[in-house]
Amino acid sequence: QIPSPFLRWRSGRATHPDAPNLAGQKPKYLVRQLIAFAAAGEGMLPVDGTNFRFHSFMSEMALALSRTQMEDIAAYFSGL
């Protein structure tokens, strides 16, 4: 089940020129990006080549997700 804040991107197609399309992306990539947003939201710094991405909105949303929710979101968008 997709958490409600993510339903605004239900089509998986970006509406902003700086945002990527999520539809059809590989699930592993999407989960990795959500983990990176969450890690940055916790104030973690990259260690040993670990990726992190801070974005005020996405990092906050990713912090609220469990690993299972991240995987569900990734499965949804990769299936589009």
Side-chain angles (χ1 to χ4, degrees), residues 9-10 15 19 24-25 30 42 51 56:
W9 302 293
R10 161 182 349 232
T15 57
Q25 294 283 355
L30 293 172
E42 291 177 333
N51 188 16
S56 59

Side-chain angles (χ1 to χ4, degrees), residues 49-65:
T50 303
N51 188 16
F52 81 110
R53 302 180 63 140
F54 181 78
H55 183 276
S56 59
F57 179 71
M58 288 301 299
S59 293
E60 182 178 333
M61 286 183 34
L63 272 171
L65 299 173

Side-chain angles (χ1 to χ4, degrees), residues 4-59:
S4 59
F6 287 87
L7 291 177
R8 66 190 291 184
W9 302 293
R10 161 182 349 232
S11 73
R13 301 283 175 215
T15 57
H16 190 278
D18 292 334
N21 288 325
L22 301 178
Q25 294 283 355
K26 294 183 179 185
K28 188 174 181 177
Y29 166 79
L30 293 172
V31 169
R32 189 173 52 221
Q33 294 303 308
L34 288 168
I35 290 170
F37 278 123
E42 291 177 333
M44 296 174 64
L45 297 175
V47 177
D48 300 328
T50 303
N51 188 16
F52 81 110
R53 302 180 63 140
F54 181 78
H55 183 276
S56 59
F57 179 71
M58 288 301 299
S59 293

